[in-house]
Amino acid sequence: MNTFIPTGRTSLVKNGDLSFQVQTEYAYRPYPRITTTILNDGQVLHKVEKKLQQPISSIDEQTRVEGIIKNQHGVVLNAIQEDSPALEPQVAQEPAESDRNLSEYECLVNIAGVQKVFHLDTDGNFIGVNGSEQFRRSFGKIFKSLKDVMDIFVQLTPGDVRENGVYEVERDRLYFVSTGADCYFLAIRRTDGETVYEKAIKAAISDSPAQI
């Protein structure tokens, strides 16, 4: 039995006439994860889940995960109050044994303060349902000049690979990341005064199977 269980969080938050109960907790079975559940009148509306690389095995790790729980819980509360696209369900299925390493996307999502990760191919096509529309609503000016921003990292092979790099589009609000074969925009809301986002992004990608 896993004896290191970080403290979870429960809140009641309102949006207009609706009240939502928000619960964020850690679980290590069937795989280690942090899950935030949003309920209304006892009915589950959404789940936001972050997979962890391994179960908690020390007090130090427990303390670190409690910080992640606090951050994820706060992001969801803000999303409910602001009707943010970040409230979209992100329920992860149990990974196969061969898929336990976090993907690039998952590593980026786990950075403190990251509210939303938009995934694009190297030609600028958004990957995922409603990604293009959500980005346009949140970052209209950037959306209009999307190609110019992406061309900061030159497309080495049309439709295939770009230069690697991290670019701060708007300070502490939006970053563009190219890992060669994939591109990402990270919507940020700073939750601390310590995170150096360029460094954190590069570290996150280097921890995934594909490295920047």
Side-chain angles (χ1 to χ4, degrees):
M1 178 178 293
N2 188 296
T3 58
F4 298 96
I5 305 297
T7 303
R9 288 181 172 254
T10 300
S11 300
L12 186 66
V13 61
K14 290 189 176 182
N15 183 318
D17 295 329
L18 296 177
S19 295
F20 300 91
Q21 185 179 14
V22 181
Q23 299 175 335
T24 304
E25 55 191 357
Y26 164 83
Y28 65 94
R29 291 180 177 174
Y31 55 94
R33 66 200 184 278
I34 297 171
T35 303
T36 300
T37 305
I38 303 101
L39 308 97
N40 175 246
D41 289 336
Q43 180 181 1
V44 176
L45 302 179
H46 296 281
K47 283 190 176 183
V48 177
E49 181 173 283
K50 291 185 179 180
K51 291 182 290 183
L52 304 178
Q53 291 181 311
Q54 59 188 13
I56 300 172
S57 59
S58 69
I59 291 294
D60 287 344
E61 288 180 15
Q62 178 176 312
T63 300
R64 181 182 65 83
V65 171
E66 286 178 343
I68 296 173
I69 289 174
K70 178 181 178 180
N71 175 67
Q72 180 169 309
H73 192 77
V75 167
V76 173
L77 293 181
N78 289 334
I80 293 173
Q81 293 171 328
E82 299 176 4
D83 289 325
S84 168
L87 187 57
E88 285 195 335
Q90 300 176 36
V91 180
Q93 302 299 319
E94 178 180 358
E97 287 296 326
S98 60
D99 295 329
R100 290 303 175 96
N101 289 331
L102 296 183
S103 67
E104 287 179 346
Y105 179 91
E106 291 166 328
C107 288
L108 293 170
V109 168
N110 284 338
I111 297 173
V114 171
Q115 287 191 291
K116 179 73 176 178
V117 176
F118 299 91
H119 187 188
L120 301 85
D121 64 22
T122 56
D123 288 326
N125 300 307
F126 285 81
I127 299 171
V129 179
N130 297 326
S132 177
E133 179 60 23
Q134 291 172 16
F135 188 85
R136 184 190 64 79
R137 290 202 309 266
S138 299
F139 304 100
K141 291 183 180 179
I142 304 302
F143 185 82
K144 291 179 180 178
S145 58
L146 187 66
K147 185 179 184 301
D148 291 336
V149 174
M150 295 186 67
D151 281 348
I152 289 170
F153 302 117
V154 176
Q155 196 164 19
L156 304 175
T157 306
D160 189 11
V161 176
R162 285 184 180 270
E163 292 178 324
N164 293 348
V166 177
Y167 173 68
E168 185 181 53
V169 183
E170 295 184 13
R171 183 171 179 78
D172 283 353
R173 184 163 183 256
L174 185 67
Y175 280 78
F176 174 59
V177 182
S178 170
T179 63
D182 291 279
C183 296
Y184 304 91
F185 280 97
L186 276 62
I188 303 288
R189 173 177 288 170
R190 181 174 284 282
T191 57
D192 58 47
E194 302 175 357
T195 302
V196 179
Y197 281 108
E198 182 174 348
K199 181 178 179 180
I201 291 167
K202 289 181 176 180
I205 295 300
S206 68
D207 285 340
S208 72
Q211 296 186 5
I212 190 167

